[in-house]
């Protein structure tokens, strides 16, 4: 069993905060050097897609939405993103990739394709959970 590495960030759900998550993901990667680059890249893509959706779609008017992100690596890659936005009204199971010429609407489909598990719990905001299992070739 691999030792667990955890990195957390909290702040307003803005695109600037999302940009800062790249640093948090790099810190996670540095703490778990045995994680395959492909797994890290796909996990990073999924986390950034969900965080971007929260930053772009959650605020209404002058509302400030907070976002707490916890990233962990061990035997699998996990992310929990907690926002203070109104509960999302969507069915994750119904998400499919949009037309190639569409300018928006790919984020959830991309995140779902990059992860083994993607879920959202609507409780005092939204709690997004992402899991990417590691391939059998990971050396411990």
């Amino acid at each position: 069993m691999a030792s667990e590495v955890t990195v957390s960030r909290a702040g307003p759900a803005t695109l600037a905060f999302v940009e800062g998550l790249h640093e948090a993901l790099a810190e996670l990667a540095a703490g778990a050097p045995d994680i395959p680059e492909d797994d890290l890249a796909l996990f990073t893509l999924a986390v950034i897609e969900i965080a971007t959706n929260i930053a772009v779609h959650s605020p209404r008017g002058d509302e400030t939405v907070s976002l707490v992100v916890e990233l962990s690596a061990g035997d699998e890659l996990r992310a929990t993103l907690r926002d203070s936005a109104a509960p999302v009204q969507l069915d994750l199971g119904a998400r499919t990739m949009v037309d190639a010429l569409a300018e928006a609407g790919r984020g959830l489909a991309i995140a779902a394709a990059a992860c083994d598990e993607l879920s959202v719990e609507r409780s005092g905001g939204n709690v997004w959970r992402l899991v990417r299992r590691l391939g059998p070739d990971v050396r411990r």
Side-chain angles (χ1 to χ4, degrees):
M1 179 168 174
S3 61
E4 190 81 12
V5 177
T6 302
V7 176
S8 300
R9 297 288 190 275
T14 63
L15 292 177
F17 178 81
V18 173
E19 188 62 32
L21 287 178
H22 287 283
E23 179 184 305
L25 286 153
E27 184 180 331
L28 182 73
D34 292 338
I35 302 293
E37 285 184 37
D38 289 350
D39 287 317
L40 282 168
L42 289 168
F43 179 72
T44 295
L45 177 63
V47 169
I48 296 300
E49 287 292 343
I50 296 298
T52 298
N53 278 351
I54 294 167
V56 170
H57 300 295
S58 294
R60 294 191 175 100
D62 292 336
E63 174 188 25
T64 299
V65 173
S66 64
L67 180 56
V68 176
V69 178
E70 183 175 292
L71 309 166
S72 60
D75 291 331
E76 60 189 10
L77 294 164
R78 289 183 312 285
T80 303
L81 294 86
R82 291 178 176 83
D83 67 55
S84 64
V88 295
Q89 303 300 320
L90 56 88
D91 178 6
L92 290 178
R95 287 297 186 201
T96 58
M97 192 61 74
V98 297
D99 182 80
L101 298 177
E103 293 184 19
R106 290 182 184 84
L108 287 175
I110 289 170
C115 291
D116 294 297
E117 297 175 27
L118 172 62
S119 65
V120 62
E121 175 186 326
R122 296 149 188 96
S123 174
N126 303 289
V127 181
W128 298 85
R129 297 185 199 287
L130 294 78
V131 176
R132 177 156 179 96
R133 290 189 226 5
L134 303 177
D137 60 336
V138 177
R139 294 184 197 122
R140 301 281 179 219

